[in-house]
């Protein structure tokens, strides 16, 4: 904010002197997803999973061997997917994801005609129904960080389907399938898994790319122009990664590159940092009973070092050559400093107002709005004008107080604004040998007007946060740690409005969903990144949300799997003979 003031005022840069303003803070920013937050992510996935998909009625044929085949007609079959739980948990550096559920179907009539190996001249109507069958899917994600680079390794996708009892009844074909399942109870389940598994082979690689892109977008490397010829570089880099029973913790350190210090300030003492280390990450907000899903933590040392570097660069050493579109003169400044000033130097003489900050600003945190406030101390405002044919310093007023930064979350929009209260700044008459006490009485009006002129309400950005697979961040609660070293923004995730994926289904005429029938899941769209303007970090130039395209997810063949299984086992029995 103060940095932006210098930028907006467009004032000259003071002459630099020796003194290095660069520095590193290893504990700058942290992101913590708690166990509750991981469970909430599981709720998101659970809400996304479709409750059913449909195999529309149709007819087809299936060759059992070189000399026999079956034709079939199947009524519409609805496959119901019942998701009991999606568990996401951290354990020894690995995120483990498990999906527990079951599937079943309605009863559908299937007419079968033809021959299948030793079963000849079939012409019957059977009842096809998938009995309640337990399903479990497992995936583990290992995340490591080396030299500030995240590496994600996703294990192969594991799908377990409990042995499916005989889905065919009331016909000779059902009896034959029952006999075959007696030899291998998992035969149908294995055939279904085998038909799905190859299509999931690319899922780990896709997830690895996606997660690495998301994690890499947490890093920042940017540069701010403070004044003409002066700039400040800021980098955020990974400095801590922990996956455990405490959840997921990602810590970022900061590098500040600001060059040499200016001659208008004394930076010899260096920044006054607490060195408090990382905050304690738990399931509850610091000093309260609030259980949160995710926490964003900002360190005071990081902000204070950033403010010290801005101050040390001379960006706050300002000379207001123009105000309100006109050059400063004694008549204008006399409006704020009184008629005594005008009588002393004349009514229309050039005037200079300089700002010289003796002390670097620091930040304080609050559990109320604004959650962040920049504290200024001995920010000296000096007035110069011609007196007795020479430029003279007529007065100095020290300004103390704070300027707040409000941060709120409404409808997934993170809004920031400057909070400038009229009573938040105090004024001390530090010097004037020529003016009577009380000459600063009108100064608050001047400062408030100047701040609102040069620091407009829309100076700070408003950011639309990406929605996570349809979930929304419903609230943010600010609570600093008890020692004041960290400000925590505690987030809650709302999952009630997530709409499940609609599977397109297929037709029995397509050999039961065989041959590439399925749907595409677009991760970019699910993360709110289909439109670069819709969310944060979705521009390709930032490296975020670039995942290389959607993932194809197949649907399983069911009725033909039974017939194919029958042919396999009949041929196996014939071979044994």
């Amino acid at each position: 904010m103060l940095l932006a003031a210098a930028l907006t005022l467009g004032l000259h840069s003071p002459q630099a002197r020796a003194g290095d303003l660069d520095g590193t803070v290893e504990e700058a920013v942290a992101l913590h997803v708690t166990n509750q937050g991981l469970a909430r992510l599981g709720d998101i996935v659970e809400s996304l999973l479709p409750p059913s998909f449909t195999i529309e009625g149709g007819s087809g044929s299936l060759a059992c061997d070189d000399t026999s085949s079956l034709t079939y007609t199947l009524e519409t079959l609805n496959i119901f997917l019942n998701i009991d739980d999606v568990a996401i948990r951290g354990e020894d550096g690995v995120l483990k994801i498990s999906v527990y559920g079951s599937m079943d179907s309605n009863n559908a009539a299937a007419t079968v005609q033809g021959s299948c190996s030793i079963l000849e001249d079939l012409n019957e109507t059977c009842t096809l129904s998938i009995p309640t069958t337990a399903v479990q899917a497992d995936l583990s994600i290992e995340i490591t960080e080396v030299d500030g680079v995240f590496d994600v390794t996703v294990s192969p996708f594991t799908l377990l389907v409990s042995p499916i009892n005989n889905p065919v009844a009331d016909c000779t074909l059902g009896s034959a399938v029952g006999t075959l399942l007696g030899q291998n109870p998992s035969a149908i389940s294995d055939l279904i898994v085998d038909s799905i598994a190859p299509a999931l082979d690319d899922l780990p690689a896709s997830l690895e790319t996606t997660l690495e892109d998301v994690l890499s977008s947490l890093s920042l490397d940017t540069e701010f122009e403070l004044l003409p010829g002066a700039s400040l570089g800021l980098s955020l880099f990974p400095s801590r990664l922990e996956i455990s029973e405490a959840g997921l913790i990602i810590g970022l350190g900061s590098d500040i590159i600001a060059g040499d210090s200016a001659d208008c300030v004394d930076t010899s003492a260096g920044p006054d940092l607490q060195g408090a280390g990382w905050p304690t990450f738990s399931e509850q907000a610091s000093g309260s009973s609030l259980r949160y899903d995710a926490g964003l933590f900002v360190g005071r040392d990081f902000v204070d070092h950033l403010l010290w570097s801005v101050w040390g660069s001379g960006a706050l050493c300002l000379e207001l050559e123009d105000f309100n579109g006109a050059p400063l003169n004694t008549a204008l400044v006399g409006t704020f400093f009184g008629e005594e000033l005008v009588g002393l130097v004349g009514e229309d003489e050039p005037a200079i107002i300089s700002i010289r900050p003796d002390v670097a600003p620091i930040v304080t945190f609050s559990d109320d709005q604004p959650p962040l406030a920049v504290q200024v101390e001995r920010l000296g405002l000096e007035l110069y004008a011609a007196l007795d044919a020479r430029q003279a310093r007529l007065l100095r007023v020290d300004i103390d107080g704070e300027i707040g930064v409000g941060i709120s979350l409404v409808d997934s929009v993170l809004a920031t604004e400057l909070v400038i209260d009229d009573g938040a700044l105090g004024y001390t008459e530090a010097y004037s040998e020529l003016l009577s006490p009380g000459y600063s009485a009108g100064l608050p009006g001047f400062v408030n007007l100047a701040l609102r002129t040069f620091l407009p309400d829309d100076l700070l950005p408003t950011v639309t946060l990406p929605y996570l697979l349809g979930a929304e961040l419903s609230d943010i609660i600010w609570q600093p740690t008890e020692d004041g070293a960290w400000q925590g923004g505690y987030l809650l995730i709302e999952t009630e409005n997530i709409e499940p994926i609609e599977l397109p289904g297929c037709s029995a005429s397509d050999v039961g969903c065989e041959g590439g029938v399925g749907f595409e899941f677009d991760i970019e769209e699910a993360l709110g990144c289909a439109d670069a303007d819709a969310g944060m970090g979705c521009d390709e130039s930032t490296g975020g949300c670039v995942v290389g395209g959607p993932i194809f997810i197949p649907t399983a063949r069911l009725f033909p799997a039974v017939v194919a299984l029958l042919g396999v086992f009949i041929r196996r029995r014939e071979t044994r003979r």
Side-chain angles (χ1 to χ4, degrees), residues 25-26 29 144-151 215-220 235-241 250-254 278:
V25 177
E26 291 289 339
V29 180
T144 58
E145 177 266 319
V146 179
D147 296 332
V149 178
F150 288 105
D151 181 68
L215 291 172
S216 65
S217 68
L218 296 175
S219 300
L220 174 71
S235 297
L236 294 178
F237 57 88
S239 58
R240 177 178 179 179
L241 176 65
I250 298 176
L252 301 176
S254 66
W278 295 109

Side-chain angles (χ1 to χ4, degrees), residues 277-306:
W278 295 109
T280 299
F281 299 103
S282 67
E283 297 288 320
Q284 295 179 335
S286 177
S288 90
S289 60
L290 172 69
R291 296 179 63 86
Y292 63 95
D293 297 328
L296 176 63
F297 299 85
V298 179
R300 177 176 173 177
D301 278 356
F302 163 60
V303 182
D304 279 351
H305 197 290
L306 183 63

